[in-house]
Amino acid sequence: MENKTVKLDRGLSLFQATTINMIDMVGIGPFIVLPLVIKIMGGPTFIYAWIAGAILSLVDGMIWAELGAAYPKAGGSYNFLKEAYGKKWGKLFSFLFVWQTLLLSPLVAASGAIGFSQYCSYIYPFSPLQQKMISGAIIILLVILLYRKIHTIGKISVVLWIAVIATISWIIFGAITHHSVSNDWLPVQDFSSQLFFVALGQATVKTIYSYLGYYNVCHLGGEIQNPGKNIPKSIFISVIGIAILYLAMNLSVVSVVPWQEAQNSTFIVSTFIEKIYGHSAAIVATIMVLIVAFASLFAVLLGYSRIPYAAAIDGSFFPVFGKLHPKKHFPYVSLLFLGSLAFVFSLLFKLSTVISAILAMRIIIQFIGQAVGLVILRNRNGTKKLPYKMFLYPIPVIVAILIWFFIFLSTGKDMVIYATIIISCGVVVYYFLNRYNVFEKMNTKLESK
């Protein structure tokens, strides 16, 4: 259990919380999936997949904002699910969330590290083994940087955020000053086509991967200043700001690089900059993209390391995860464990597999589960004491659930089966641990020392 004399510090301001959200969202994702989305959509209609991702992020962000403001604690969804589903089912749902997080968060970090190492190949043709070494080294460096007080981390996040904004702004500026492709890429689509919506679902799986992270501030709820106001503000500023940047960036790229060429580019941003400014500038752009990818991984590990910690101090997970660093006041055991798994995953898996697995694993329990949970909480507790109430309730909840279910099916049959197996195994493990009171015995033994 957590040492009662050591607590998390509420050291993150609105600006710092927002920068952490935004750098989490803009990792290597948008630069890698941009060509994939164009290829899936088969042409200019690719922009609709980015719009769909933005809409889903905004309506789902309303759910996160209401829950995050009402329950500003470390762990985010862990607390939301526990509160919503009551003593019996709340423990199961919150455990399943932690269960999937132990696999999910290292996968997310590994995906960014793998993407980072692959993008390095534009600068130098690294062998597959060398790329694995790079991805592993990135995870180790991240853990070292995160092994410090939250106040310092807040300052680091601001610096990384500046790099993110500078990179995307350079792309947009380059397109404004060097527009060279005619407007034949503008999307025209017959929305009655069934195949269009099939492609849109598959493409949105990729774009939503690039938007994920708008809720990271909720995982850090116990470290946010004035959380009732700052958590909702941070979420909406992040979603709207990143959506504008993504749309502008995509339109910028295809206004310089024809979409027929862009869909086959492995290093689309580097290709874009090279067409405008030459190879030397493209090297600089590649380095900036790598910094952006690194920034996102920084935010990912920061947020997810608080989830096992939250469950542990609640007595619902292994007590060792509830330990805080005695001087720096952060969950160092949780950080080291997740960082170690991320290191291993970065050496074992391929990026394309990881992206679909990340979404499939979390949609049912986390995104749909807590959307339904918000309705339960409103019916049970009312809305008078809520620091933030979503606009047009319950429409955003209904829209979010429908779109998430559509995205879940669009991840593919194999991923749906994989996600179901993970959840089923989690249920079995939960009932085994609950039947033999494993966590209670461990906590009692720890407290008796």
Side-chain angles (χ1 to χ4, degrees):
M1 295 289 286
E2 178 190 10
N3 185 341
K4 301 301 182 182
T5 62
V6 181
K7 296 182 179 180
L8 294 172
D9 298 328
R10 289 196 178 275
L12 294 175
S13 66
L14 171 61
F15 180 58
Q16 291 173 332
T18 304
T19 60
I20 289 173
N21 260 10
M22 293 180 79
I23 64 177
D24 188 349
M25 294 170 74
V26 188
I28 199 69
F31 308 111
I32 287 181
V33 306
L34 193 157
L36 298 177
V37 173
I38 297 176
K39 182 170 288 188
I40 291 171
M41 296 301 292
T45 53
F46 75 90
I47 199 66
Y48 290 127
W50 291 96
I51 294 173
I55 292 171
L56 177 54
S57 299
L58 187 60
V59 294
D60 192 55
M62 293 182 185
I63 297 170
W64 283 90
E66 185 167 314
L67 292 171
Y71 304 97
K73 303 176 182 178
S77 294
Y78 171 82
N79 297 299
F80 308 157
L81 294 167
K82 185 185 70 173
E83 294 290 340
Y85 291 96
K87 291 183 178 180
K88 182 178 180 180
W89 296 107
K91 287 185 177 181
L92 171 61
F93 273 81
S94 58
F95 175 83
L96 289 176
F97 172 66
V98 179
W99 169 260
Q100 70 177 29
T101 296
L102 291 181
L103 293 175
L104 172 69
S105 55
L107 278 175
V108 174
S111 71
I114 294 168
F116 182 101
S117 64
Q118 290 180 359
Y119 223 88
C120 283
S121 296
Y122 182 84
I123 300 174
Y124 181 83
F126 292 104
S127 68
L129 177 59
Q130 289 172 326
Q131 288 184 20
K132 292 294 184 184
M133 293 174 64
I134 291 172
S135 61
I138 287 299
I139 297 296
I140 294 173
L141 179 57
L142 284 165
V143 172
I144 293 173
L145 278 179
L146 287 168
Y147 207 84
R148 61 196 71 244
K149 289 184 176 181
I150 193 65
H151 301 80
T152 306
I153 287 174
K155 295 175 182 177
I156 293 173
S157 70
V158 172
V159 175
L160 295 175
W161 175 81
I162 292 172
V164 169
I165 300 301
T167 302
I168 297 180
S169 297
W170 187 16
I171 295 170
I172 297 170
F173 175 78
I176 292 173
T177 56
H178 295 79
H179 178 91
S180 59
V181 178
S182 64
N183 290 331
D184 62 356
W185 54 267
L186 292 172
V188 177
Q189 176 61 40
D190 176 11
F191 291 103
S192 64
S193 171
Q194 197 171 32
L195 289 176
F196 167 75
F197 287 100
V198 172
L200 181 64
Q202 294 174 351
T204 306
V205 169
K206 306 302 182 185
T207 61
I208 196 62
Y209 167 76
S210 300
Y211 281 103
L212 293 180
Y214 51 87
Y215 43 75
N216 198 5
V217 66
C218 294
H219 296 154
L220 301 168
E223 296 161 276
I224 306 296
Q225 299 169 1
N226 194 9
K229 292 183 178 181
N230 287 343
I231 287 179
K233 286 181 180 179
S234 177
I235 290 173
F236 293 127
I237 292 172
S238 302
V239 171
I240 294 171
I242 293 301
I244 292 171
L245 290 174
Y246 278 177
L247 293 174
M249 182 179 73
N250 275 269
L251 296 178
S252 296
V253 168
V254 294
S255 71
V256 173
V257 182
W259 67 263
Q260 295 89 342
E261 179 184 345
Q263 68 179 341
N264 297 313
S265 175
T266 306
F267 311 101
I268 185 60
V269 172
S270 305
T271 301
F272 169 86
I273 295 295
E274 185 170 358
K275 274 184 174 290
I276 297 175
Y277 302 110
H279 184 70
S280 296
I283 295 294
V284 175
T286 303
I287 293 172
M288 293 179 71
V289 167
L290 294 175
I291 293 173
V292 169
F294 184 84
S296 176
L297 292 175
F298 178 87
V300 164
L301 274 179
L302 170 64
Y304 278 122
S305 65
R306 271 55 180 175
I307 294 171
Y309 161 79
I313 63 171
D314 196 39
S316 301
F317 204 59
F318 298 101
V320 67
F321 285 93
K323 288 186 176 182
L324 291 178
H325 194 282
K327 294 183 179 179
K328 300 178 181 180
H329 305 176
F330 73 95
Y332 69 101
V333 174
S334 182
L335 172 64
L336 292 174
F337 179 83
L338 295 181
S340 299
L341 273 185
F343 175 81
V344 173
F345 289 171
S346 70
L347 302 179
L348 295 179
F349 295 116
K350 295 181 179 180
L351 185 60
S352 58
T353 303
V354 171
I355 290 176
S356 296
I358 286 169
L359 270 177
M361 283 177 59
R362 69 198 311 180
I363 287 177
I364 298 299
I365 297 298
Q366 186 177 22
F367 294 125
I368 293 180
Q370 69 185 28
V372 174
L374 183 142
V375 176
I376 295 172
L377 285 168
R378 274 190 169 233
N379 291 337
R380 182 196 304 154
N381 303 330
T383 60
K384 289 184 179 180
K385 295 182 180 180
L386 290 177
Y388 164 80
K389 302 171 189 175
M390 75 169 59
F391 184 61
L392 294 177
Y393 175 86
I395 294 175
V397 177
I398 296 171
V399 172
I401 291 174
L402 291 175
I403 298 178
W404 275 127
F405 189 70
F406 175 61
I407 298 299
F408 179 66
L409 295 178
S410 297
T411 60
K413 181 181 178 181
D414 290 344
M415 289 303 164
V416 169
I417 293 173
Y418 177 69
T420 303
I421 292 173
I422 293 294
I423 294 172
S424 300
C425 290
V427 172
V428 172
V429 171
Y430 170 78
Y431 279 109
F432 173 81
L433 295 174
N434 193 53
R435 179 176 181 179
Y436 294 100
N437 299 317
V438 173
F439 295 136
E440 290 183 15
K441 292 177 181 178
M442 293 178 74
N443 288 324
T444 302
K445 184 178 180 180
L446 191 65
E447 290 173 356
S448 65
K449 290 184 178 181

